[in-house]
PDB file of all heavy atoms in Angstrom:
ATOM      1  N   LEU E  28      -2.684  11.434  -9.609  1.00  0.00           N
ATOM      2  CA  LEU E  28      -1.740  10.460  -9.050  1.00  0.00           C
ATOM      3  C   LEU E  28      -1.827  10.386  -7.539  1.00  0.00           C
ATOM      4  O   LEU E  28      -1.725   9.317  -6.931  1.00  0.00           O
ATOM      5  CB  LEU E  28      -0.296  10.875  -9.456  1.00  0.00           C
ATOM      6  CG  LEU E  28       0.051  10.729 -10.910  1.00  0.00           C
ATOM      7  CD1 LEU E  28       1.468  11.256 -11.188  1.00  0.00           C
ATOM      8  CD2 LEU E  28      -0.034   9.281 -11.382  1.00  0.00           C
ATOM      9  N   ALA E  91       4.458  26.428  -7.715  1.00  0.00           N
ATOM     10  CA  ALA E  91       4.657  27.587  -6.831  1.00  0.00           C
ATOM     11  C   ALA E  91       5.413  28.630  -7.641  1.00  0.00           C
ATOM     12  O   ALA E  91       6.555  28.446  -7.982  1.00  0.00           O
ATOM     13  CB  ALA E  91       5.443  27.193  -5.594  1.00  0.00           C
ATOM     14  N   THR E 261     -10.683  -0.777 -18.595  1.00  0.00           N
ATOM     15  CA  THR E 261     -10.453  -0.785 -17.132  1.00  0.00           C
ATOM     16  C   THR E 261     -10.931   0.527 -16.494  1.00  0.00           C
ATOM     17  O   THR E 261     -11.393   0.496 -15.336  1.00  0.00           O
ATOM     18  CB  THR E 261      -8.957  -1.038 -16.841  1.00  0.00           C
ATOM     19  OG1 THR E 261      -8.568  -2.283 -17.399  1.00  0.00           O
ATOM     20  CG2 THR E 261      -8.708  -1.060 -15.334  1.00  0.00           C
ATOM     21  N   LYS E 324      -3.009 -13.154 -60.037  1.00  0.00           N
ATOM     22  CA  LYS E 324      -1.616 -13.063 -59.553  1.00  0.00           C
ATOM     23  C   LYS E 324      -0.689 -12.554 -60.628  1.00  0.00           C
ATOM     24  O   LYS E 324      -0.699 -13.093 -61.793  1.00  0.00           O
ATOM     25  CB  LYS E 324      -1.141 -14.430 -59.042  1.00  0.00           C
ATOM     26  CG  LYS E 324       0.293 -14.436 -58.544  1.00  0.00           C
ATOM     27  CD  LYS E 324       0.756 -15.832 -58.151  1.00  0.00           C
ATOM     28  CE  LYS E 324       2.216 -15.829 -57.774  1.00  0.00           C
ATOM     29  NZ  LYS E 324       2.705 -17.212 -57.439  1.00  0.00           N
ATOM     30  N   LEU E 334       9.836  -4.031 -61.204  1.00  0.00           N
ATOM     31  CA  LEU E 334       8.374  -3.959 -61.316  1.00  0.00           C
ATOM     32  C   LEU E 334       7.930  -2.591 -60.860  1.00  0.00           C
ATOM     33  O   LEU E 334       8.365  -2.100 -59.820  1.00  0.00           O
ATOM     34  CB  LEU E 334       7.732  -5.018 -60.436  1.00  0.00           C
ATOM     35  CG  LEU E 334       6.216  -4.983 -60.291  1.00  0.00           C
ATOM     36  CD1 LEU E 334       5.556  -5.344 -61.646  1.00  0.00           C
ATOM     37  CD2 LEU E 334       5.722  -5.926 -59.217  1.00  0.00           C
ATOM     38  N   LEU E 429       2.556   1.242 -20.386  1.00  0.00           N
ATOM     39  CA  LEU E 429       2.633   2.497 -21.142  1.00  0.00           C
ATOM     40  C   LEU E 429       1.248   2.978 -21.510  1.00  0.00           C
ATOM     41  O   LEU E 429       0.944   4.185 -21.447  1.00  0.00           O
ATOM     42  CB  LEU E 429       3.485   2.275 -22.363  1.00  0.00           C
ATOM     43  CG  LEU E 429       3.747   3.508 -23.193  1.00  0.00           C
ATOM     44  CD1 LEU E 429       4.675   4.478 -22.450  1.00  0.00           C
ATOM     45  CD2 LEU E 429       4.409   3.150 -24.542  1.00  0.00           C
ATOM     46  N   HIS E 442     -10.703  16.179 -19.701  1.00  0.00           N
ATOM     47  CA  HIS E 442     -11.719  16.862 -18.879  1.00  0.00           C
ATOM     48  C   HIS E 442     -11.714  18.355 -19.090  1.00  0.00           C
ATOM     49  O   HIS E 442     -12.751  19.017 -18.914  1.00  0.00           O
ATOM     50  CB  HIS E 442     -11.470  16.525 -17.389  1.00  0.00           C
ATOM     51  CG  HIS E 442     -11.911  15.158 -17.023  1.00  0.00           C
ATOM     52  ND1 HIS E 442     -13.166  14.673 -17.167  1.00  0.00           N
ATOM     53  CD2 HIS E 442     -11.166  14.102 -16.494  1.00  0.00           C
ATOM     54  CE1 HIS E 442     -13.227  13.432 -16.788  1.00  0.00           C
ATOM     55  NE2 HIS E 442     -12.024  13.041 -16.395  1.00  0.00           N
ATOM     56  N   SER E 450     -14.766  23.239 -37.685  1.00  0.00           N
ATOM     57  CA  SER E 450     -14.593  23.694 -39.083  1.00  0.00           C
ATOM     58  C   SER E 450     -13.207  23.391 -39.583  1.00  0.00           C
ATOM     59  O   SER E 450     -12.721  23.969 -40.540  1.00  0.00           O
ATOM     60  CB  SER E 450     -14.837  25.193 -39.172  1.00  0.00           C
ATOM     61  OG  SER E 450     -13.984  25.901 -38.316  1.00  0.00           O
TER      62      SER E 450
END
Side-chain angles (χ1 to χ4, degrees):
L28 291 176
T261 300
K324 178 183 175 182
L334 173 69
L429 185 68
H442 285 300
S450 60

